[in-house]
Amino acid sequence: MFSSFDQLVLKEEGVFATSNLRGDMPLGQSMGLYCNDTRYLSLYYITVEGREPVLLSSSSEQNFIANLQLTNPPLGLENGSTILPNTVSLRRNRLMQGGMRERIGLFSYNTFPVHLRLRIDLGADFRDMFDVRGFPRNGRGTMHDPIWEGEVLTLSYTGLDNKERYTRISFDPLPTHLWMSPAPEQPISDQHLDSIYPGNTATLKETIIPPAAHAQWEVELQPHQPWFVNLSAVPEGPPERQLAYIFDEEARDLRRSYQGWRGESAHLTTDNAVFNAVLDRSMSDLRALVDHVPGGLFPAAGIPWYSVPFGRDSLITGLQTLMFRPDIAEGTLRYLARYQGERVDPWRDEEPGKILHELRFGEMASLNEIPHTPYYGTVDATPLFVMLFAETIRWTNDEVLYNDLLPNVFRALDWIDNHGDPDGDGFVEYETKSRWGLRNQGWKDSYDSLKFPDGKLPKPPIALVEVQAYVYAAKVGMAELLMSRGDTMNGARLAREAHLLKERFNHDFWMADKGFYAQALDGSKRQVPSISSNAGHTLYCGIADPGKAAQVVRRLMSPDLLCGWGIRTLSSDEPHFNPMSYHNGSIWPHDNGIIAAGMRRYGFGEEAAQVIWQVVEAGTRFKMLRMPELYCGFARDLRYYSVPAEYPVSCSPQAWAAGAILHFCQTMLDVRPDALRNTITLNPYQPTDINSMQLANLRLGNRTLDLQAARGADPPVTVQRNPDGVEVLRDK
């Protein structure tokens, strides 16, 4: 199973690769080369004289290129001589651009010529991502024997959907020898396994072993003279030539693309170098995850499991990144509007006006084995779509976007009031209708994320606390937007509906004995009384009454929730708390970002700063300063210098985890835009470890400006560049 913390991950546009730290993709694991929800390489394994090279260093910090330094173990050669360890360098450089490119270099530090055999084993099982994840299938298509046409190797598969999928592999120089191994018959002998994958164990007898190709080079290494081979593996692409030239050109192009990404974005620096490094990592991760789709930029949710269009995650990422990259929000809105629900389809949990949950492209989707074509089983994406639309217009005042998507927004609001509220009680609820659907359809969508104290699961339809908050924010945001553009009738209607929802919500969800909001109401309108982080989202959206908000903040700051590394998803006092669970005690950076922003909204700047800095400090402990999707909710133990515990199968990089750091920046500055009136309001309050913040290339509509905020300065915010005359206001 995938563990992001001991693997290399590279992505560019819709293609990504995961491997072990040596750069190999062993059989029997989830690693591989992926495109369109299909694994186009499941075996990629390098040996020298039949031995695995020894890893010295491994890095994929740039996201588009990996650099691996390896060396030789002791090697006994056929002529009886021995090559001492650490005398031959093996260097691997890998990049992603339409496929996977790799340059493998050998260099001998011996004083005499060395003859070595470099071997690469290659195979592809073409499994659907859901199949790799362990979802059952009744059958699979046909893997074909590899075809070598003298210069190009083709691995291919005919799916049950009658679509042929193939991987083209090119080499430069060509192998000295190349031979094939057909897919083994069951049972699989250890001898056969060893012929495909040297050093393998019998545990692979349960693995789908594809037909394999074995390329070998007879290399005569002269002292201090380099030798290289270039390899290209392209999913469903044409044969390629001039691989050395392609590698260098694409490496330059990708480097320029990342530089351009940073140049086009707003740029924030502080006087804290560690925070700057965490922010820089998050910006780089977002660049890797963003794909170009019809409509603009769209952030894939995360690698490896969710490198696809994802409604909720992408919408929240859009909200998090508006201060830095409003074009992410615009592309997300336009793309999701293309797939807005049109009809009632129980198989896909589709309803008119609803925003998708997840869109898949693999064989299982093509065959309708899964409903993700797209699947609509999410209760929060639709109000989040409206929220993001209103907030994006506040930042951009984009009249084209406004006019293009306003009909989609009204359709989403209609879903909220009708299909989203089938019993007419004013709360948006969910109940899955698809036999393949998710039982829980909020952001905590695992099967056991919602429980009564006795362990029983609530019966649907279920109204989640945070979803009502999103609906409130959506209606308030649209009411203000419509009235500012002269539609007073619809604006007043939405404002009235939001007011009634707020009153009803604060009555029905409030637990007076606990001073907190219930996590949900079940189908009988009973409160699910768990003390969870969900209630913190009410602060972000403004639905909490002020007195109740103060109690929620105090409760969230208690040590059973705020554990030293951030706010847990569930209080440690709850019977079903488990710090190693997915949603019942873990810590999610995006969740903390939303809560911290809500605390600032209600005037709790010090508390927000504490939450922010705990999560930032956790981020500094992870590899490459990369914020993972989630991590375990064990308490920080300062006595023994504890570190946050990794959640082994979290996506990393992951869009809304990276976006959380950008969201923190907006919260620390408390930036509130109004592009229509050409004003921007700030009220800085940063953690004690940050004294000054400089924000350059901030965009408001089609205007830009540079700002600086400094603790103790008078005034605390100064304008350094403002060629377009944006009015900068200070909220005291």
Side-chain angles (χ1 to χ4, degrees), residues 89-162:
S89 163
L90 191 152
R91 187 174 179 85
R92 303 176 71 170
N93 301 111
R94 176 181 299 166
L95 62 82
M96 308 300 295
Q97 184 67 291
M100 184 180 75
R101 328 287 188 189
E102 183 152 332
R103 175 173 292 166
I104 303 161
L106 295 174
F107 191 95
S108 174
Y109 292 91
N110 292 283
T111 58
F112 50 86
V114 175
H115 181 85
L116 296 175
R117 291 171 297 177
L118 174 73
R119 173 171 158 177
I120 302 179
D121 300 291
L122 297 147
D125 59 12
F126 296 95
R127 290 174 70 184
D128 186 284
M129 176 59 84
F130 276 85
D131 189 13
V132 174
R133 289 169 60 189
F135 289 79
R137 295 196 68 186
N138 293 327
R140 297 182 178 89
T142 302
M143 295 182 291
H144 303 295
D145 290 339
I147 298 174
W148 174 244
E149 298 171 309
E151 292 187 349
V152 177
L153 174 68
T154 300
L155 311 176
S156 63
Y157 167 85
T158 302
L160 296 177
D161 57 357
N162 294 319

Side-chain angles (χ1 to χ4, degrees), residues 366-435:
S366 176
L367 291 167
N368 215 33
E369 294 180 22
I370 55 174
H372 298 66
T373 57
Y375 176 59
Y376 290 85
T378 172
V379 70
D380 49 13
T382 308
L384 286 168
F385 177 85
V386 181
M387 281 178 64
L388 180 59
F389 176 81
E391 191 67 16
T392 301
I393 299 301
R394 287 183 64 198
W395 275 98
T396 66
N397 194 31
D398 187 332
E399 291 295 331
V400 175
L401 181 69
Y402 178 83
N403 291 323
D404 286 351
L405 296 190
L406 189 60
N408 301 89
V409 170
F410 276 118
R411 292 180 62 213
L413 288 166
D414 185 68
W415 177 87
I416 288 170
D417 292 337
N418 293 289
H419 288 284
D421 182 17
D423 61 4
D425 69 344
F427 297 134
V428 171
E429 303 153 332
Y430 67 87
E431 180 176 10
T432 185
K433 298 176 178 62
S434 174
R435 61 179 173 83

Side-chain angles (χ1 to χ4, degrees), residues 403-588:
N403 291 323
D404 286 351
L405 296 190
L406 189 60
N408 301 89
V409 170
F410 276 118
R411 292 180 62 213
L413 288 166
D414 185 68
W415 177 87
I416 288 170
D417 292 337
N418 293 289
H419 288 284
D421 182 17
D423 61 4
D425 69 344
F427 297 134
V428 171
E429 303 153 332
Y430 67 87
E431 180 176 10
T432 185
K433 298 176 178 62
S434 174
R435 61 179 173 83
W436 229 92
L438 293 167
R439 174 183 171 84
N440 286 320
Q441 298 190 355
W443 83 262
K444 294 179 181 176
D445 56 6
S446 54
Y447 184 82
D448 62 348
S449 64
L450 192 63
K451 286 183 178 181
F452 285 105
D454 61 4
K456 291 181 180 178
L457 301 177
K459 293 182 179 180
I462 293 167
L464 293 170
V465 60
E466 74 273 18
V467 173
Q468 316 318 312
Y470 301 158
V471 171
Y472 174 80
K475 291 191 173 184
V476 168
M478 282 305 301
E480 295 173 352
L481 188 58
L482 290 169
M483 286 191 282
S484 72
R485 281 161 171 73
D487 188 350
T488 55
M489 183 180 69
N490 281 314
R493 173 179 61 82
L494 288 171
R496 184 170 59 255
E497 291 172 3
H499 175 74
L500 292 173
L501 172 60
K502 185 172 184 176
E503 286 188 337
R504 187 180 304 114
F505 171 83
N506 279 277
H507 178 270
D508 291 357
F509 276 80
W510 185 248
M511 301 183 293
D513 58 330
K514 297 187 177 185
F516 209 68
Y517 290 108
Q519 188 175 354
L521 303 181
D522 74 355
S524 301
K525 310 304 176 185
R526 291 185 303 162
Q527 292 179 342
V528 180
S530 299
I531 303 297
S532 69
S533 65
N534 304 58
H537 295 217
T538 66
L539 308 173
Y540 177 68
C541 297
I543 197 173
D545 287 338
K548 293 181 172 66
Q551 295 183 66
V552 169
V553 171
R554 285 196 296 270
R555 190 68 183 84
L556 289 167
M557 299 299 290
S558 301
D560 59 310
L561 284 165
L562 186 69
C563 69
W565 300 120
I567 294 174
R568 295 164 167 147
T569 49
L570 188 71
S571 164
S572 59
D573 293 339
E574 293 293 333
H576 50 292
F577 167 77
N578 179 355
M580 297 173 287
S581 70
Y582 197 52
H583 288 130
N584 291 326
S586 55
I587 299 168
W588 290 64

Side-chain angles (χ1 to χ4, degrees), residues 95 97 103 242-256:
L95 62 82
Q97 184 67 291
R103 175 173 292 166
Q242 298 181 304
L243 297 186
Y245 173 79
I246 289 175
F247 190 96
D248 291 335
E249 282 292 297
E250 291 183 346
R252 282 193 289 268
D253 289 346
L254 286 166
R255 185 170 61 251
R256 291 168 183 155

Side-chain angles (χ1 to χ4, degrees), residues 63-88:
N63 289 334
F64 65 88
I65 192 166
N67 299 287
L68 299 87
Q69 181 62 61
L70 304 101
T71 188
N72 66 296
L75 297 176
L77 304 183
E78 285 186 341
N79 61 11
S81 62
T82 300
I83 302 299
L84 294 176
N86 307 322
T87 60
V88 176

Side-chain angles (χ1 to χ4, degrees), residues 220-425:
E220 190 75 24
L221 279 181
Q222 299 299 323
H224 304 289
Q225 294 294 318
W227 179 91
F228 296 100
V229 60
N230 291 278
L231 176 146
S232 170
V234 181
E236 302 189 19
E240 295 190 322
R241 305 289 188 273
Q242 298 181 304
L243 297 186
Y245 173 79
I246 289 175
F247 190 96
D248 291 335
E249 282 292 297
E250 291 183 346
R252 282 193 289 268
D253 289 346
L254 286 166
R255 185 170 61 251
R256 291 168 183 155
S257 176
Y258 271 72
Q259 291 168 350
W261 167 265
R262 295 178 186 279
E264 295 163 1
S265 307
H267 184 68
L268 186 139
T269 55
T270 75
D271 63 336
N272 187 298
V274 174
F275 181 82
N276 294 343
V278 174
L279 176 59
D280 186 66
R281 161 55 48 201
S282 295
M283 287 294 296
S284 181
D285 285 350
L286 283 167
R287 162 59 183 81
L289 289 165
V290 165
D291 294 329
H292 288 82
V293 299
L297 301 180
F298 192 95
I303 297 173
W305 312 122
Y306 302 108
S307 188
V308 293
F310 214 89
R312 174 196 311 115
D313 292 43
S314 300
L315 289 162
I316 288 179
T317 303
L319 284 165
Q320 294 169 323
T321 57
L322 273 167
M323 190 176 83
F324 290 84
R325 297 285 314 208
D327 50 350
I328 293 177
E330 179 180 351
T332 298
L333 289 165
R334 288 190 178 277
Y335 190 76
L336 292 176
R338 289 165 55 93
Y339 290 94
Q340 191 169 23
E342 297 284 350
R343 61 187 184 276
V344 174
D345 181 354
W347 166 240
R348 301 192 300 165
D349 278 330
E350 180 184 4
E351 292 163 342
K354 200 174 185 183
I355 299 300
L356 68 83
H357 172 66
E358 186 178 355
L359 177 60
R360 292 287 178 169
F361 306 97
E363 181 185 5
M364 292 176 69
S366 176
L367 291 167
N368 215 33
E369 294 180 22
I370 55 174
H372 298 66
T373 57
Y375 176 59
Y376 290 85
T378 172
V379 70
D380 49 13
T382 308
L384 286 168
F385 177 85
V386 181
M387 281 178 64
L388 180 59
F389 176 81
E391 191 67 16
T392 301
I393 299 301
R394 287 183 64 198
W395 275 98
T396 66
N397 194 31
D398 187 332
E399 291 295 331
V400 175
L401 181 69
Y402 178 83
N403 291 323
D404 286 351
L405 296 190
L406 189 60
N408 301 89
V409 170
F410 276 118
R411 292 180 62 213
L413 288 166
D414 185 68
W415 177 87
I416 288 170
D417 292 337
N418 293 289
H419 288 284
D421 182 17
D423 61 4
D425 69 344

